[in-house]
Amino acid sequence: MIKLTPSDTDLKQLKQKIAAHVRHPFLARFIPEPAIDEDKLAILASIMDHTTLSNVKKEQYIVTTMLVQIALDTHDLVTLSDVEDDRETVRNRQLTVLAGDYYSGLYYYLLSKLDDIPMIHTLAGAIKEINELKMELYYKDVHSFQEFLNSLKKIESLLIQRVASYVQRTTINDMAGEWLLAKKLIDEKRSYLEGRISPILEVLFRHPSSLDNSSQVLIHLEKMLQKHIYHLENTVSQLPIHFNWLKSYIHSAIHHKFYDRHIAEEG
């Protein structure tokens, strides 16, 4: 059992435990193992560290919440096309859907062992709301850049915020939402620049509002990110002293994901 006073070592051990749960030899033959969002894991670990729960429940809540996140992320990887795909593409798509369902089932199984029906309801409610938000973002018109950002922020942070509310530790909810939004935009921008499909940014390209083309969307996004990151750094610095580990972690993550990559892009 991991003693959950967060540290880099604890995160590594938690990540290994989560990876062990989702590892499936059949799925591994056809689709990549799912990515584990280390930033969301760090925020969850910090939230749980400030509760009076037993170490067993802390770890169980972190693992099950991350399994839900992995299931949501896996379903987002399912690609749809108007043209007829080859058999391998269809098979991989079907396996990706099944993998997402499999990861979802794992969290129900783990929580059932704890006989924790309220937590199951909390996670199930969050899943329902997140899926509804995604449908609105992907299939309804985006009327403004701010509306797009607000919807994306909710999608990225709602699961963690619902869990934080359940354990009555919501101090870092606002900061977490701001960081997870910034991180998502940074990752989506990088994917797009590297030539990979970015469904999130394509929402903006389809409905650019006052922006005329994709290059203007990216310029506007970069300006917004610079302003947002500056505000975020100040917000993180003002967290109470007992969040010192998380403050250090997020400052390091900001520099790695934003400043270092920004310098590399300009170079």
Side-chain angles (χ1 to χ4, degrees), residues 25-26 43 51 57-58 87 90 102 114 145 158 229 258:
F26 176 76
I43 293 170
T51 69
K57 275 212 166 185
K58 287 179 183 180
R87 291 181 61 184
V90 171
Y102 171 68
L114 279 180
F145 196 75
L158 190 140
I229 290 293
F258 183 71

Side-chain angles (χ1 to χ4, degrees), residues 73 76 130 133-140 142 145 148-149 151-153 155-156 180-189 191-192 196-208 217-218 221:
D73 292 343
D76 284 346
I130 289 169
L133 287 167
K134 286 179 179 178
M135 292 294 288
E136 290 181 2
L137 183 65
Y138 293 152
Y139 298 111
K140 289 187 178 181
V142 176
F145 196 75
F148 166 81
L149 294 179
S151 296
L152 187 57
K153 180 179 176 180
I155 289 169
E156 287 301 302
L180 293 176
L181 171 62
K183 184 179 86 78
K184 181 66 173 178
L185 290 173
I186 292 168
D187 291 344
E188 291 292 322
K189 178 193 170 189
S191 293
Y192 181 80
R196 299 196 298 274
I197 296 174
S198 171
I200 293 294
L201 289 186
E202 287 192 354
V203 171
L204 283 180
F205 298 155
R206 289 200 309 269
H207 307 286
V217 170
L218 289 175
L221 176 61

Side-chain angles (χ1 to χ4, degrees), residues 121-167:
H121 287 165
T122 296
L123 294 176
I127 292 170
K128 178 177 180 294
E129 192 170 348
I130 289 169
N131 285 332
E132 290 172 350
L133 287 167
K134 286 179 179 178
M135 292 294 288
E136 290 181 2
L137 183 65
Y138 293 152
Y139 298 111
K140 289 187 178 181
D141 286 348
V142 176
H143 297 294
S144 70
F145 196 75
Q146 191 58 51
E147 180 186 348
F148 166 81
L149 294 179
N150 291 341
S151 296
L152 187 57
K153 180 179 176 180
K154 288 180 181 178
I155 289 169
E156 287 301 302
S157 60
L158 190 140
L159 177 62
I160 286 178
Q161 291 177 346
R162 288 289 183 273
V163 172
S165 295
Y166 179 73
V167 299

